[in-house]
Amino acid sequence: MHAPPTDSATLPVQQKSSVDEGPVVEPSRGSRSGIPWWIWALAGALFFTYATLSLRIHQRMLSHSFDLGIFEQIVRSYAHGHLPVSEIKGPDFPILGDHFSPILALVAPVYRLWPSPMALLVVQAALIAASVLPLTLWARRALGSPAAAVIGVCYGLSWGLASGVGSDFHEWAFAVPLLAYSLTALATGRMRAAVCWALPLLLVKEDLGLTVVVIGLVIARRGDRKLGITTAAVGLAGALLATMVILPAFSPSGSYDYWHWLNGSEGSEGGLTDLLYKSTIGLITPEVKISTLLLVLAPTLFLALRSPLMWIAVPTLLWRAASELSTHWGTAYHYSLVLMPIVFAAFIDALIRRNPSKSSLRRYLAGSAAITLLVLPQYPFWQLVQPATWRDDPRIAVAHRLMDRIPDGATVQASNQLVPQLTNRTSASLYGWPDSRPNPQWIMVDTRVPLNERWPLNVLQEQQALGIARAQGYLTVSSEQGFVLLKRPS
């Protein structure tokens, strides 16, 4: 598939880009595997960065029931050999009625060896770090090692990856390397490999079927119409099967529960007007939607728009912009995780198509690096250089000492940030969440959660709920450093 290894001093040769017209520089390989040592080192350093950040967040009790707690319960179900359920979503709630992510079963063997939420965080770090390999190697072959190093670092430290790594664990972590490998294969003319990497996206989450559709259309545009149209058809069928058949079949409500994010207010008299608004002006208002789009493209100096690969980001951008949930519009959380490999693949392809001079290439790369560094302090990777990240609050030891009093297998309701500390050995649910299992054997509440991090109860509601629990007979086992541990009488 590739030219045989040559001496490192050999001048690069040029080929045509597989995505569109434009030269591709093919430097020599630096190792038998085709991946030089420094690319492995870069991926390893980024893996260490991702794992360290997410593990420190969890160790400082800053991870959440939604989503790390839920995902651990899912993986724990698979590890014990049964269909996934999440107690946090509701008593014995079937997750295959919530989101279609059977690929999470692949984490089960790791979890069997290491039954901890930290296992999920390490797996996520490995998956995201693995996506650096194909993109950086492609950039090296096409643009040379210095350019590849800059692109690899800018991608690895991009704000979208930072937001994802700093926001618990999510199934989209599997999509990141799949997209990176698929788009690299597509861009270098290996269409069947691109399809093989793309199709597993159907097992990551139901919305990614539309991404597979666009990958198929791009392949068809490149000339392999049969393969491209078949891929697009499979992607569409997979998305429809998941949302119209599988998820409703498992869902307690009998339907896909997230249509309301797109439907808006039900029963509106101006239905057609609302639809017209949401499909036009509503896609770019409020202003945060435009800000997010600009920030997605900014690290590539907007050159990504010059590549057909950028079309693959459109389904994700559209459903986020059309959603009624405001957290989908901004740059926080994990929602931009899948966009980063697409945008940087488009960046590499755009640079290849432009065939810039050495000085122009240096300017593009300098601009990308400058923007990456400029936004870096606003996102979670910056926590690694903050002293507070490496200090342990004495309250954490108190919390673990009290949680140790809860026996394995017990039913427990706990505060949002306590739940992921308990999901590996108890049947944990969220305190104050209306769908949580009623009358748990244990209740543990952190009454000192900062106001801006409180959810789902405010201070007054929490005090009232604790008073009701005591009135119902729950006994106070301990009240220390703001932590309240209650036990239901036998």
Side-chain angles (χ1 to χ4, degrees), residues 38-288:
W38 64 266
I39 295 182
W40 286 112
L42 173 61
L46 290 169
F47 165 74
F48 181 79
T49 299
Y50 303 155
T52 300
L53 173 63
S54 57
L55 290 175
R56 279 304 296 163
I57 289 173
H58 180 69
Q59 290 164 353
R60 294 169 63 209
M61 295 204 321
L62 297 176
S63 49
H64 306 87
S65 57
F66 286 65
D67 290 301
L68 182 57
I70 289 175
F71 281 110
E72 184 180 7
Q73 290 179 337
I74 294 171
V75 173
R76 188 181 178 193
S77 298
Y78 281 125
H80 287 86
H82 53 79
L83 291 177
V85 296
S86 174
E87 188 77 358
I88 296 169
K89 293 286 295 184
D92 298 320
F93 186 94
I95 286 297
L96 289 178
D98 188 57
H99 286 301
F100 185 68
S101 305
I103 202 166
L104 290 170
L106 295 179
V107 188
V110 179
Y111 190 82
R112 289 284 292 184
L113 297 173
W114 186 14
S116 167
M118 293 188 287
L120 278 67
L121 299 174
V122 170
V123 167
Q124 175 172 261
L127 289 167
I128 297 175
S131 69
V132 176
L133 298 174
L135 294 174
T136 309
L137 182 60
W138 173 31
R140 174 183 175 269
R141 290 172 174 167
L143 302 169
S145 293
V150 174
I151 291 171
V153 171
C154 290
Y155 168 70
L157 297 180
S158 59
W159 65 266
L161 298 187
S163 294
V165 170
S167 301
D168 295 346
F169 172 93
H170 295 90
E171 70 280 86
W172 275 354
F174 281 94
V176 178
L178 291 173
L179 284 166
Y181 277 97
S182 179
L183 270 59
T184 299
L186 193 162
T188 53
R190 296 173 290 123
M191 300 304 180
R192 292 187 181 277
V195 172
C196 289
W197 284 109
L199 290 180
L201 292 170
L202 297 173
L203 305 178
V204 176
K205 203 171 183 181
E206 61 275 6
D207 62 284
L208 290 173
L210 298 180
T211 301
V212 175
V213 170
V214 181
I215 291 174
L217 295 177
V218 173
I219 291 173
R221 179 181 181 274
R222 287 301 306 147
D224 197 333
R225 290 186 177 275
K226 182 177 180 181
L227 180 63
I229 293 174
T230 301
T231 302
V234 171
L236 181 59
L240 292 175
L241 181 65
T243 55
M244 300 296 186
V245 179
I246 298 175
L247 290 167
F250 282 94
S251 174
S253 68
S255 63
Y256 181 50
D257 292 336
Y258 296 101
W259 288 125
H260 66 275
W261 283 350
L262 301 178
N263 292 341
S265 56
E266 298 181 4
S268 173
E269 295 180 359
L272 183 59
T273 302
D274 290 344
L275 178 61
L276 181 62
Y277 174 82
K278 285 172 64 66
S279 61
T280 54
I281 301 299
L283 294 176
I284 57 175
T285 56
E287 293 80 2
V288 65

Side-chain angles (χ1 to χ4, degrees), residues 368-388:
S368 178
I371 292 172
T372 299
L373 293 175
L374 183 65
V375 301
L376 190 62
Q378 309 302 318
Y379 292 92
F381 289 152
W382 197 250
Q383 295 178 26
L384 292 172
V385 298
Q386 303 300 309

Side-chain angles (χ1 to χ4, degrees), residues 443-459:
I443 294 173
M444 186 167 173
V445 177
D446 182 0
T447 64
R448 294 186 185 175
V449 176
L451 292 178
N452 62 338
E453 297 178 10
R454 282 188 163 273
W455 181 81
L457 301 179
N458 60 35
V459 175

Side-chain angles (χ1 to χ4, degrees), residues 17-20 24 131-139 142-143 151-152 154-156 158 161 175-188 215 218 296-297 299-300 303-313 337-354 368:
S17 167
S18 62
V19 176
D20 215 322
V24 179
S131 69
V132 176
L133 298 174
L135 294 174
T136 309
L137 182 60
W138 173 31
L143 302 169
I151 291 171
C154 290
Y155 168 70
S158 59
L161 298 187
V176 178
L178 291 173
L179 284 166
Y181 277 97
S182 179
L183 270 59
T184 299
L186 193 162
T188 53
I215 291 174
V218 173
V296 165
L297 296 168
T300 74
L303 286 178
L305 292 172
R306 294 179 174 267
S307 169
L309 295 180
M310 195 59 204
W311 284 103
I312 297 167
L337 199 57
V338 298
L339 294 176
M340 294 299 103
I342 301 173
V343 169
F344 275 86
F347 182 39
I348 297 168
D349 181 59
L351 288 174
I352 293 169
R353 294 172 67 237
R354 289 180 71 86
S368 178

